[in-house]
Amino acid sequence: SGGVINLITRKQRQAGTTGTVRANAGLEGRGSVSLSLARSRPGLTISGEAAYRRFTNEIIVTQDRERFLTGGGILTSRQEQLHDNVAQGGNGRFGVEYDVDKTNRLTAEVSYRRNQMNSERDERFIGNAVEAGFTRLSDQEMQQRILGLRSSWRKTLPGKDHSLSVDLQHDTGGMNRELDARITPASGAAIFERIDNDIDRNETRLKADYKKPLGEGRSLNLGYEFEGQNADFTSAGARGTALTALVPLPNLTNSFDFSQDVHALYGTAQFNSGKWEFQPGLRLEQVGLDLNQRTDGTRFDQDYFRVYPTLHIGRALSERTKVRASYSRRIQRPGPFELNPYTFYVDARNIQRGNPNLKPEVTDAFETSLQYRKDATFLSLTGFY
C-alpha cells in the first residue's frame, strides 16, 4: 500500500569465501540438492549456484457437464482423469559484482534453467445417447529451457539516496511438448494420436532509474522501461490406426509468430508535510503488438497508448495510529494463446481458441487502511474495491 517500486534484497557479503550445501529427500522419489559458493574481497564478489530437484505427484480431475438440447432436455456426461507426474529440473547461476570506484558498481550474471516433466494420463469419458464414451491412455513429455543474461550499472551521486541505475536483461529459450495417446471408443477400433508443440521465445528488458532526494521527507524517482517479447509457436498433430501409421491432421497443425514491444516512462514523487504523506505517480505506456498466423496467412496488430496514474496518501492520527488511502490503475495484457485465432487441441473433449482483437484488462484499484503499531505488535484493517 506504500507504492513501493523497487525492492533490493541482495545482501552485501563480507570478505572471504562462503558456501552452502543443502539436500533433502521425501517420499515417492522426491528430493533436491543445491550448492552455492561466493568469494568476496573489497570491491569484488564472485558467486555461483547450482541445484537439482525431483518431484512426483498424482492428480485426479473430474469434470461433470450438462448439455442443453434445443426444445428441452438435458444430456449429462462425465470426464475422469488420473495424472501420474514426475518432474525434475536443474538450474545454475554465475555472477560478478565489481566496484569500479566508490561511486560506480558493475554487475554481470548468467543463468540457465532446464526442467522436464513426464506424465502418464488415464482418461475416461462417460457419454450419453448422443456423445459416445471412450477411454484415452497417453504419455506426455514436456521440456523447458531458459538461458538468462543480465548486466547492470549503478552510479551513486552526491547526496543521500541519490543514484542512477541501468539494468539490462535478456532471456532466450523454449518449450517442447510431445504426447502419444491411444483412444479406445465404446465401440470400434482403437485410434492412435501424436501431438507435438514447440515454442521458441526471446525476451529483453531494459530499465533505467534515477532517484533524487529533494530535501527532508521529499524525493523524486524517474525512469524508463522497455520490454520486448518475440515467440514462435508450432503445433503438429497426427492420427492413425497405429503409431507407425499416423496421418497429419490439418486441424491439429498450426504455426504463428508473436511479438510485443512495450515502452514506458514513469515518475514517482514522495513528500511529507507534517502528519501527511503523499506519493503521486504516473506511468505512460506505448504498446505495439504483431501476430502473424502463418498457417492461415493472416496477420493482426494492435497499437495503443495508455496512462496509468497512482496516488498514495497517509496521515498519522497519533504516534501509534495511521490511516492510509491509495488509488492505482493496473493492466493485464492477454498472452499469445489468448490472441491466436487458431483452434488449439487439448484433448478429445477440450479445445480452445484465441481472439486477436482482445484488448488488455484495465483495473482501477482503491484501498484504504487503518494501522496500529505498538512495540512488536502491528494491526491493520484494510478495505479495497
Side-chain angles (χ1 to χ4, degrees):
S1 62
V4 175
I5 288 182
N6 186 30
L7 287 176
I8 299 175
T9 59
R10 188 185 302 274
K11 296 180 180 180
Q12 184 68 29
R13 299 182 185 272
Q14 300 297 322
T17 302
T18 59
T20 303
V21 178
R22 292 187 177 92
N24 70 73
L27 300 177
E28 299 181 11
R30 302 185 184 100
S32 67
V33 60
S34 65
L35 169 68
S36 65
L37 291 171
R39 172 68 176 171
S40 298
R41 63 181 179 84
L44 177 65
T45 298
I46 300 175
S47 62
E49 300 167 358
Y52 170 81
R53 180 174 185 261
R54 187 179 190 273
F55 183 78
T56 63
N57 71 343
E58 186 179 270
I59 300 175
I60 298 175
V61 180
T62 302
Q63 292 179 327
D64 290 319
R65 293 176 175 171
E66 293 183 344
R67 178 176 173 181
F68 298 91
L69 303 178
T70 303
I74 298 176
L75 293 178
T76 61
S77 61
R78 169 172 289 186
Q79 185 173 356
E80 300 173 343
Q81 303 179 38
L82 172 62
H83 301 208
D84 191 3
N85 302 319
V86 178
Q88 55 186 333
N91 64 277
R93 184 194 68 86
F94 177 78
V96 177
E97 291 183 359
Y98 175 63
D99 292 336
V100 181
D101 50 40
K102 292 183 178 181
T103 62
N104 290 277
R105 169 172 290 184
L106 299 177
T107 302
E109 183 177 288
V110 58
S111 62
Y112 182 74
R113 300 191 301 275
R114 186 178 183 89
N115 301 302
Q116 176 178 318
M117 186 178 76
N118 296 88
S119 178
E120 296 181 359
R121 300 189 180 188
D122 185 350
E123 306 174 49
R124 184 174 65 147
F125 180 73
I126 305 170
N128 46 54
V130 176
E131 301 165 299
F134 64 87
T135 59
R136 183 174 186 252
L137 302 177
S138 64
D139 291 325
Q140 175 181 271
E141 180 177 308
M142 186 166 58
Q143 297 184 1
Q144 183 186 44
R145 66 199 182 280
I146 300 175
L147 173 66
L149 304 172
R150 179 177 176 266
S151 62
S152 65
W153 167 60
R154 180 179 174 84
K155 173 73 172 178
T156 302
L157 301 172
K160 184 181 179 181
D161 297 328
H162 190 195
S163 65
L164 173 66
S165 62
V166 179
D167 189 274
L168 176 62
Q169 182 173 347
H170 179 75
D171 293 336
T172 182
M175 186 274 289
N176 171 259
R177 170 179 174 259
E178 295 181 353
L179 183 146
D180 289 339
R182 171 177 175 158
I183 303 172
T184 305
S187 60
I191 302 172
F192 295 83
E193 67 180 9
R194 174 168 292 163
I195 308 296
D196 191 356
N197 305 117
D198 284 290
I199 302 175
D200 292 319
R201 173 172 289 178
N202 291 279
E203 187 169 336
T204 301
R205 294 188 183 96
L206 173 64
K207 188 175 183 180
D209 264 316
Y210 174 70
K211 299 178 181 180
K212 179 177 176 57
L214 301 176
E216 186 66 26
R218 298 170 183 265
S219 64
L220 178 66
N221 182 30
L222 300 174
Y224 164 78
E225 187 174 12
F226 166 77
E227 181 177 329
Q229 299 182 45
N230 293 278
D232 298 330
F233 298 83
T234 303
S235 299
R239 286 202 186 103
T241 56
L243 288 176
T244 56
L246 298 176
V247 178
L249 294 178
N251 64 330
L252 298 183
T253 303
N254 174 257
S255 61
F256 73 100
D257 301 329
F258 171 85
S259 66
Q260 180 175 264
D261 291 339
V262 180
H263 298 269
L265 292 172
Y266 57 88
T268 303
Q270 183 172 352
F271 53 92
N272 303 334
S273 178
K275 297 181 178 181
W276 289 92
E277 299 175 359
F278 298 93
Q279 191 174 6
L282 189 66
R283 182 180 177 95
L284 312 176
E285 278 192 357
Q286 176 64 44
V287 180
L289 183 152
D290 181 80
L291 192 150
N292 180 17
Q293 176 53 258
R294 298 199 304 266
T295 301
D296 297 338
T298 56
R299 198 159 198 152
F300 307 89
D301 61 77
Q302 294 187 30
D303 190 85
Y304 56 89
F305 173 78
R306 298 287 174 89
V307 177
Y308 305 98
T310 61
L311 177 62
H312 301 269
I313 301 175
R315 189 181 192 282
L317 302 180
S318 66
E319 293 183 357
R320 299 174 179 174
T321 307
K322 178 180 289 187
V323 63
R324 293 181 179 272
S326 68
Y327 161 77
S328 62
R329 174 165 290 179
R330 307 165 186 173
I331 183 172
Q332 181 171 333
R333 281 178 271 271
F337 279 101
E338 296 170 311
L339 295 167
N340 183 26
Y342 171 75
T343 302
F344 182 78
Y345 176 86
V346 180
D347 59 43
R349 298 299 302 167
N350 297 277
I351 59 175
Q352 65 185 46
R353 183 182 179 93
N355 177 8
N357 297 314
L358 276 182
K359 302 300 181 183
E361 176 185 278
V362 177
T363 302
D364 291 305
F366 303 85
E367 186 173 302
T368 181
S369 65
L370 179 65
Q371 300 175 356
Y372 173 82
R373 183 187 300 274
K374 181 181 179 182
D375 299 329
T377 300
F378 177 76
L379 302 175
S380 177
L381 178 64
T382 301
F384 65 90
Y385 171 74

